């Protein structure tokens, strides 16, 4: 839904996905709610995104084990890794991203914050806070360069009370279009 307010245009969106069941409609649903500002006030090159994602049971407001299935034992996974939203199963995710675009250079820089809570139905649940910076630049008409750095703090890692982890990641990529 786009609200083209002159001072601040706003886009609101929602996504719903359900897992297969023997019933007519899916039994387990996950919802993603989002707010997107295609520009921030008078800053045409700056945009902002906020998203909240969490799976819910049809009959309650408690989180469910999304991406797991009674018939399909491996769930929606490939080599043990969930194919889908990065929050994973039995989780909640809050995401914010601020992006600066430089159209004449076909470039952008994004700062993001992601807060995930995993295993919500456990007595102790893992919490992850990740900050990242990403940059992309068009080198030629057919070649793009991407760079990223991320830093995450994980509390109660592996659902162990008091267990902490710090994770750093660096990514680099070149995309070539033919």
């Amino acid at each position: 839904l786009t609200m083209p307010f002159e001072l601040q245009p706003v886009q609101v969106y929602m996504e719903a996905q359900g897992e297969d069941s023997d019933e007519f409609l899916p039994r387990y649903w996950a919802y993603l709610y989002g707010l997107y500002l295609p520009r921030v006030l008078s800053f045409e090159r700056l945009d902002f995104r906020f998203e909240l994602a969490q799976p819910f049971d049809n009959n309650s407001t408690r989180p469910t084990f999304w991406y797991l299935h009674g018939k399909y034992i491996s769930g929606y996974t490939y080599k043990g890794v969930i194919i889908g939203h990065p929050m994973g199963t039995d989780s909640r995710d809050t995401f914010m991203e601020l992006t600066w675009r430089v159209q004449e250079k076909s470039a952008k820089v994004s700062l993001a914050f992601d807060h995930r809570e995993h295993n919500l139905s456990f007595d102790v649940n893992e919490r992850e806070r990740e900050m990242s910076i990403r940059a992309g630049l068009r080198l030629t008409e057919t070649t793009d360069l991407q760079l990223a750095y991320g830093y995450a703090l994980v509390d109660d890692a592996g659902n162990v009370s008091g267990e902490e982890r710090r994770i750093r990641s660096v990514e680099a990529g070149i995309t070539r279009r033919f």
Side-chain angles (χ1 to χ4, degrees):
L1 173 64
T2 299
M3 295 171 277
F5 302 128
E6 192 171 326
L7 178 63
Q8 177 61 70
V10 175
Q11 294 179 350
V12 180
Y13 54 95
M14 182 240 185
E15 179 180 320
Q17 296 180 3
E19 288 203 359
D20 293 336
S21 72
D22 292 332
E23 302 164 15
F24 175 69
L25 292 174
R27 180 168 176 209
Y28 299 112
W29 288 89
Y31 300 97
L32 182 142
Y33 305 96
L35 172 78
Y36 176 65
L37 307 178
R39 68 172 162 79
V40 177
L41 299 173
S42 63
F43 298 99
E44 294 287 336
R45 296 173 184 245
L46 198 60
D47 68 48
F48 175 76
R49 179 177 309 276
F50 174 84
E51 292 183 344
L52 176 63
Q54 182 170 343
F56 284 100
D57 183 305
N58 279 354
N59 300 316
S60 74
T61 57
R62 71 174 183 81
T64 61
F65 290 89
W66 181 243
Y67 296 123
L68 300 177
H69 199 281
K71 286 185 180 178
Y72 310 106
I73 304 304
S74 65
Y76 193 54
T77 63
Y78 176 73
K79 296 186 178 181
V81 178
I82 291 174
I83 304 169
H85 194 282
M87 75 176 165
T89 185
D90 194 24
S91 300
R92 175 179 22 241
D93 182 58
T94 304
F95 174 78
M96 291 179 273
E97 180 179 58
L98 188 65
T99 301
W100 179 265
R101 298 181 188 285
V102 184
Q103 277 89 352
E104 59 273 13
K105 299 278 188 188
S106 296
K108 68 179 181 176
V109 175
S110 299
L111 298 172
F113 174 77
D114 203 348
H115 181 262
R116 293 187 193 116
E117 297 175 81
H118 301 287
N119 303 309
L120 294 172
S121 61
F122 289 39
D123 289 336
V124 176
N125 60 324
E126 182 177 279
R127 291 173 314 286
E128 178 182 344
R129 294 175 311 280
E130 178 182 358
M131 291 74 54
S132 64
I133 183 167
R134 296 185 168 279
L137 174 65
R138 172 131 321 142
L139 299 174
T140 70
E141 280 191 35
T142 60
T143 308
D144 295 341
L145 173 67
Q146 303 90 27
L147 301 170
Y149 173 77
Y151 180 76
L153 301 171
V154 183
D155 295 324
D156 298 332
N159 306 314
V160 176
S161 183
E163 185 70 25
E164 292 185 356
R165 285 192 198 134
R166 296 183 186 330
I167 303 168
R168 291 172 182 84
S169 64
V170 176
E171 299 174 32
I174 295 177
T175 303
R176 174 93 172 154
R177 290 177 297 284
F178 297 96

